[in-house]
């Protein structure tokens, strides 16, 4: 089985090579992302493997099927970058629904603690032997309210961590699965009562811009926003507005709505065209990581293992429990 692996990064290749070799799946690595223009590179391959910022839209799907590609294996959970309706009957799509919810939940907690205790500032200061504490006053999480939007695998793991800090956990989820204890409430109440608001739901037409100019006034003054899910859940302009007006006390962002083409790449030698992102990054109370929350040894190992077994299931048994099927 030959798989064209798009948007390949050095850090993931050893994991895929290992499980690919064991199971007879040959990965050919392309650095370029997958989209309608690059899809013809997959000619002669049985399948493609793609990540969060590859674009499997109608054009890419048509090019791939013209090239004889039968399967697209997402090496991530979210599928908002895939036109599943167009893929139906043309290309079979599998994903990795869960690899390590703890990787993402721990990163969210890490960003939160870093921000509220100003650890990122202290790190920079002490490297220059500046041992002043001026401006480093933080606040304690103990006794505060964490609002979790989306109580699935990651949201539940984050809720457990918050409870460990002695926080009260409020949750909003239209289809809760009782993976972890929480007090469920309507989203407006969650917005009004949370000192920390963390997003863990998928990006869909219902969740796009959950935080926007309309919902901004509902937020508790000084709330810390944490987003490790998908950038599109938050209207970045509204977030900026909320920070400037001091309604939002800080933001920890592992994802950004316009991250495609920026995140995962070294852009340090370029002028950043995105003024909103540049302004957000310039704020003293905004912490940005570039879609890094999943990046642990454990998660990379699980992603590679599941991707290879998804491909084997589909090609050898004709079915796979992790197949994404459009039901619209
Ligand atoms: P999951 O499927 O276990 O949980 C998602 C939860 O969101 C479900 O309980 C669902 O009912 C809920 N939900 C759906 N619509 C909602 C709405 N309108 N409002 C509130 N909740 C809603 O998914 P999991 O594994 O917890 O992942 C969550 C998200 O995290 C993924 O969709 C993905 O976008 C993101 N993610 C980010 C990573 C990163 O590296 N930054 C890595 C992995 C996932």
């Amino acid at each position: 089985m030959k798989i064209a692996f798009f948007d390949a990064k050095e850090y993931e290749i050893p994991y895929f090579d290992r499980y690919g070799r064991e199971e007879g799946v040959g990965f050919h690595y392309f650095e370029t992302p997958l989209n309608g223009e690059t899809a013809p590179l997959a000619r002669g391959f049985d399948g493609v493997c793609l990540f969060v910022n590859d674009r499997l839209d109608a054009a890419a799907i048509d090019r791939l099927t013209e090239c004889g590609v039968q399967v697209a294996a997402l090496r991530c959970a979210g599928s908002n970058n895939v036109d599943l309706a167009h893929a139906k009957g043309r290309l079979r799509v599998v994903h990795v629904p869960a690899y390590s919810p703890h990787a993402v939940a721990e990163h969210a907690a890490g960003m939160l603690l870093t921000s509220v205790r100003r650890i990122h500032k202290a790190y920079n200061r002490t490297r220059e032997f500046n041992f002043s504490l001026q401006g480093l006053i933080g606040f304690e999480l103990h006794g505060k309210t964490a609002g979790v939007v989306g109580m699935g695998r990651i949201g539940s793991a984050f809720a457990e961590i918050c409870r460990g800090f002695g926080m009260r956990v409020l949750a909003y989820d239209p289809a809760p699965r009782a993976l972890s204890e929480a007090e469920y409430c309507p989203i407006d109440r969650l917005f009004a009562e949370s000192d920390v608001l963390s997003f863990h739901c998928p990006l869909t037409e219902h969740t796009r811009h959950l935080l926007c100019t309309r919902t901004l006034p509902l937020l508790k003054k000084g709330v810390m926003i944490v987003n490790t899910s998908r950038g599109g859940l938050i209207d970045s302009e509204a977030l900026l507005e909320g920070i400037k007006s001091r309604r939002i006390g800080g933001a920890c962002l592992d994802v950004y709505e316009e991250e495609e083409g920026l995140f995962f790449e070294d852009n340090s030698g370029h002028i950043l065209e995105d003024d909103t992102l540049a302004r957000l990054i310039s704020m003293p109370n905004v912490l940005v990581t570039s879609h890094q929350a999943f990046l642990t040894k454990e998660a990379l190992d699980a992603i590679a293992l599941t991707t290879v077994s998804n491909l084997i299931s589909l090609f050898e048994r004709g079915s796979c429990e992790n197949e994404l099927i459009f039901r619209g």
Side-chain angles (χ1 to χ4, degrees):
M1 189 193 311
K2 281 169 61 193
I3 304 296
F5 190 106
F6 284 85
D7 214 0
K9 297 285 183 277
E10 217 174 291
Y11 51 75
E12 58 190 342
I13 290 174
Y15 295 89
F16 282 87
D17 272 349
R18 178 184 154 203
Y19 289 112
R21 211 176 306 116
E22 283 175 12
E23 298 294 338
V25 178
F27 289 107
H28 185 94
Y29 300 100
F30 293 102
E31 278 184 26
T32 181
L34 175 66
N35 54 46
E37 279 172 27
T38 59
L41 286 169
R43 188 173 294 283
F45 287 88
D46 303 299
V48 291
C49 184
L50 62 150
F51 197 48
V52 293
N53 288 334
D54 293 300
R55 215 175 318 127
L56 194 53
D57 55 13
I61 291 166
D62 290 343
R63 293 298 92 70
L64 289 175
T65 47
E66 281 159 25
C67 293
V69 170
Q70 301 162 49
V71 171
L74 288 161
R75 52 185 192 277
C76 56
S79 58
N80 50 286
N81 54 335
V82 179
D83 186 342
L84 277 178
H86 194 75
K88 192 172 183 180
R90 295 180 170 92
L91 187 71
R92 296 180 78 175
V93 182
V94 291
H95 75 145
V96 183
Y99 34 96
S100 175
H102 307 291
V104 183
E106 288 175 15
H107 189 82
M111 289 189 89
L112 178 61
L113 271 185
T114 302
S115 184
V116 300
R117 299 309 304 270
R118 321 282 187 248
I119 293 169
H120 53 308
K121 290 184 177 297
Y123 172 79
N124 284 330
R125 279 191 193 179
T126 54
R127 284 171 65 81
E128 292 188 351
F129 311 125
N130 173 356
F131 301 114
S132 158
L133 298 184
Q134 195 59 38
L136 297 186
I137 298 176
F139 69 85
E140 292 170 27
L141 295 175
H142 187 269
K144 301 288 187 322
T145 299
V148 181
V149 183
M151 277 290 278
R153 285 167 281 240
I154 296 171
S156 301
F158 181 76
E160 288 296 317
I161 294 173
C162 290
R163 240 189 307 281
F165 285 138
M167 302 181 82
R168 174 172 81 122
V169 179
L170 277 181
Y172 170 72
D173 191 318
R177 279 181 289 170
L179 295 171
S180 169
E181 268 179 46
E183 186 184 337
Y184 286 88
C185 69
I187 196 160
D188 286 6
R189 192 181 139 211
L190 187 96
F191 280 178
E193 293 186 20
S194 300
D195 300 292
V196 171
L197 193 55
S198 197
F199 290 88
H200 299 288
C201 60
L203 176 61
T204 66
E205 58 190 272
H206 304 294
T207 60
R208 183 173 296 279
H209 289 182
L210 274 178
L211 182 54
C212 61
T213 46
R214 187 188 63 78
T215 51
L216 188 63
L218 304 177
L219 299 178
K220 183 168 179 179
K221 192 157 182 344
V223 62
M224 292 293 306
I225 303 292
V226 182
N227 189 5
T228 55
S229 193
R230 285 293 180 267
L233 299 176
I234 295 180
D235 175 350
S236 315
E237 294 293 341
L239 177 70
L240 195 54
E241 207 38 61
I243 290 167
K244 288 200 306 207
S245 70
R246 317 290 197 270
R247 177 160 294 277
I248 293 174
C252 303
L253 310 173
D254 185 52
V255 287
Y256 173 65
E257 54 177 339
E258 301 298 334
E259 69 179 53
E260 187 186 329
L262 274 178
F263 282 19
F264 304 116
E265 307 300 333
D266 179 359
N267 284 294
S268 55
H270 303 282
I271 290 171
L272 187 61
E273 300 282 350
D274 188 323
D275 291 346
T276 309
L277 181 60
R279 186 81 172 98
L280 282 169
I281 289 176
S282 78
M283 295 285 187
N285 53 353
V286 175
L287 201 60
V288 174
T289 52
S290 51
H291 212 133
Q292 180 193 333
F294 74 99
L295 198 64
T296 63
K297 290 176 186 169
E298 294 84 353
L300 284 173
D301 193 74
I303 290 169
L305 177 62
T306 306
T307 303
V308 168
S309 77
N310 283 346
L311 288 163
I312 297 286
S313 295
L314 215 51
F315 279 101
E316 292 186 0
R317 290 195 288 281
S319 67
C320 173
E321 59 174 356
N322 294 330
E323 183 166 6
L324 292 168
I325 296 174
F326 179 71
R327 302 186 200 278

